[in-house]
Amino acid sequence: MLTGSCLCGGVAYQVDVASGPIVHCHCATCRKAHGSAFSSVMPVPREHFRWVRGEALLSQFESSPGKFRRFCSRCGSQIVAERPSQPNVLLRLGCLDTPIADRPRAHIWRSDAAPWFDPKDQVAEFPEGFPSK
Ligand SMILES: [Zn+2]
Ligand SMILES: [Zn+2]
């Protein structure tokens, strides 16, 4: 079982089964909603997804007709997106608390991408923040 929660911990969910594929979405609405280059997303079957805490804290924004981005109204974490008419809920993987073995399979909506980020660029990695000197 997978569990996820928001930054403040007020909202939490469980999913019975991992699904996929995991993708990094660069569409303009994901960039704006998350304030980042892309959103990492995993679809899971709605019937295996449930809120376990804080559902009353959820707010939502209909970013395109019928698509609802649900986020914690206290801390702002984007937690899931969904089209209620469709069978999958899209987990925003930054809020996932359970380790998973699956790895992202693709970058999507590259046509909408931020001009300052290219997944082909290799940049330095550090275990913590950027070194001060
Ligand atoms: Zn929260
Ligand atoms: Zn997107």
Side-chain angles (χ1 to χ4, degrees):
M1 184 171 66
L2 307 179
T3 63
S5 59
C6 65
L7 175 60
C8 76
V11 179
Y13 64 78
Q14 293 179 338
V15 187
D16 297 320
V17 293
S19 187
I22 297 171
V23 298
H24 298 310
C25 184
H26 295 250
C27 81
T29 48
C30 279
R31 287 194 290 108
K32 293 285 185 180
H34 296 259
S36 59
F38 56 83
S39 168
S40 303
V41 178
M42 181 170 72
V44 297
R46 182 186 304 283
E47 69 265 29
H48 291 291
F49 175 93
R50 62 194 162 271
W51 300 107
V52 295
R53 187 168 71 240
E55 196 170 354
L57 281 174
L58 288 170
S59 190
Q60 65 184 27
F61 179 67
E62 188 174 9
S63 59
S64 51
K67 179 165 185 172
F68 295 90
R69 293 170 182 267
R70 302 196 193 280
F71 57 94
C72 175
S73 61
R74 193 158 69 193
C75 69
S77 287
Q78 295 279 335
I79 306 172
V80 303
E82 62 178 324
R83 291 178 181 276
S85 61
Q86 292 186 355
N88 286 326
V89 173
L90 302 172
L91 302 185
R92 304 322 204 168
L93 279 188
C95 288
L96 188 67
D97 295 317
T98 308
I100 54 174
D102 299 22
R103 291 294 177 265
R105 297 247 302 272
H107 291 273
I108 64 171
W109 280 100
R110 289 290 297 145
S111 62
D112 249 9
W116 48 266
F117 179 78
D118 184 333
K120 293 183 288 302
D121 291 345
Q122 290 287 316
V123 298
E125 296 184 38
F126 301 103
E128 294 178 3
F130 195 78
S132 55
K133 51 179 150 186

